[in-house]
């Protein structure tokens, strides 16, 4: 299974179209973690699983959703309703309740990934307004590849360039690399 995860595009519709055009046929699903600032019925969403964020004022967006791709359950949310800027406790409880393998979220605009109790928590950062330690990269998204019990997260720049030093692989009890949230 391969997924593209993006968040916090804040009105930058063109980058969502560019990512869909570039990666269609290369990934099994696209996930957007909110704050697109686009209407919920925008045609760009035909390619994406999407949730609403605190800057999405269209009430048609769900706050969260759980999707299954290749047998893996993904809990998708923006994070503002789960207090992710304080800690991941409320998000972890919701992800466990959803029996999720992955919890994807945004809101902080800071990329990070951590695996806890068998769930991979991933914030791809903001594609349009990055913050924090990696803001100089100019916007990021993530590619998640899961085969068997191994999962690799690659963080990429807006132009699709993988940042090798940020790549993290989880498998069984082994973790290589770390970009903790």
């Amino acid at each position: 299974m391969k997924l593209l995860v993006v968040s916090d595009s804040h009105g930058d519709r063109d980058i969502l179209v560019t990512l869909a055009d570039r990666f269609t046929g290369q990934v099994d699903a696209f996930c957007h973690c909110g704050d697109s600032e686009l209407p919920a019925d925008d045609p760009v969403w035909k390619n994406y699983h999407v949730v609403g964020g605190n800057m999405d004022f269209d009430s048609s967006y769900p706050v969260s959703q759980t999707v299954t791709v290749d047998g893996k359950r993904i809990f998708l949310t923006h994070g503002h309703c789960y207090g992710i800027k304080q800690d991941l406790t409320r998000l972890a409880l919701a992800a466990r309740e959803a029996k999720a393998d992955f919890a994807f979220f945004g809101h902080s605009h800071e990329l990070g990934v951590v695996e806890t109790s068998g769930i991979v928590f991933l914030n791809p950062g903001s594609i349009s307004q990055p913050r924090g330690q990696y803001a100089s990269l100019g916007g990021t998204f993530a590619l998640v590849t899961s085969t068997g019990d191994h999962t690799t997260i690659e963080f990429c720049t807006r132009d699709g360039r993988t940042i090798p030093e940020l790549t993290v692989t989880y498998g069984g009890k082994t973790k290589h690399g770390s970009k903790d949230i």
Side-chain angles (χ1 to χ4, degrees):
M1 170 194 75
K2 190 165 188 174
L3 308 170
L4 186 147
V5 185
V6 63
S7 190
D8 295 279
S9 49
H10 290 283
D12 188 350
R13 184 181 191 279
D14 291 344
I15 190 62
L16 302 178
V17 171
T18 298
L19 291 173
D21 288 347
R22 179 170 180 185
F23 288 95
T24 294
Q26 296 180 43
V27 299
D28 299 303
F30 295 85
C31 298
H32 191 291
C33 301
D35 272 4
S36 69
E37 298 186 42
L38 299 175
D41 62 355
D42 190 298
V44 75
W45 297 136
K46 71 179 169 73
N47 297 308
Y48 289 84
H49 298 286
V50 62
V51 293
N54 58 299
M55 296 302 295
D56 292 313
F57 300 108
D58 186 326
S59 63
S60 301
Y61 284 111
V63 170
S64 65
Q65 65 171 301
T66 303
V67 297
T68 302
V69 179
D70 278 350
K72 299 287 186 177
R73 291 180 58 83
I74 301 142
F75 183 78
L76 182 63
T77 192
H78 184 58
H80 64 297
C81 292
Y82 295 93
I84 63 91
K85 287 186 179 180
Q86 286 74 43
D87 62 38
L88 298 181
T89 302
R90 290 171 42 203
L91 179 60
L93 291 170
R96 281 189 201 108
E97 184 176 318
K99 298 180 179 19
D101 300 294
F102 299 94
F104 298 157
F105 63 100
H107 189 52
S108 70
H109 294 218
E110 296 185 50
L111 68 81
V113 63
V114 64
E115 189 270 345
T116 303
S117 302
I119 301 172
V120 175
F121 295 86
L122 168 67
N123 185 329
S126 171
I127 194 69
S128 297
Q129 298 177 6
R131 295 182 191 142
Q133 179 178 355
Y134 301 106
S136 63
L137 295 172
T140 55
F141 65 94
L143 294 172
V144 178
T145 305
S146 185
T147 54
D149 65 351
H150 289 81
T151 298
T152 299
I153 291 85
E154 299 172 278
F155 290 97
C156 305
T157 59
R158 284 176 62 94
D159 63 3
R161 183 179 50 88
T162 300
I163 308 151
E165 60 271 20
L166 298 182
T167 298
V168 178
T169 299
Y170 299 100
K173 299 205 180 282
T174 305
K175 177 176 84 169
H176 304 284
S178 177
K179 295 297 159 234
D180 290 343
I181 297 170

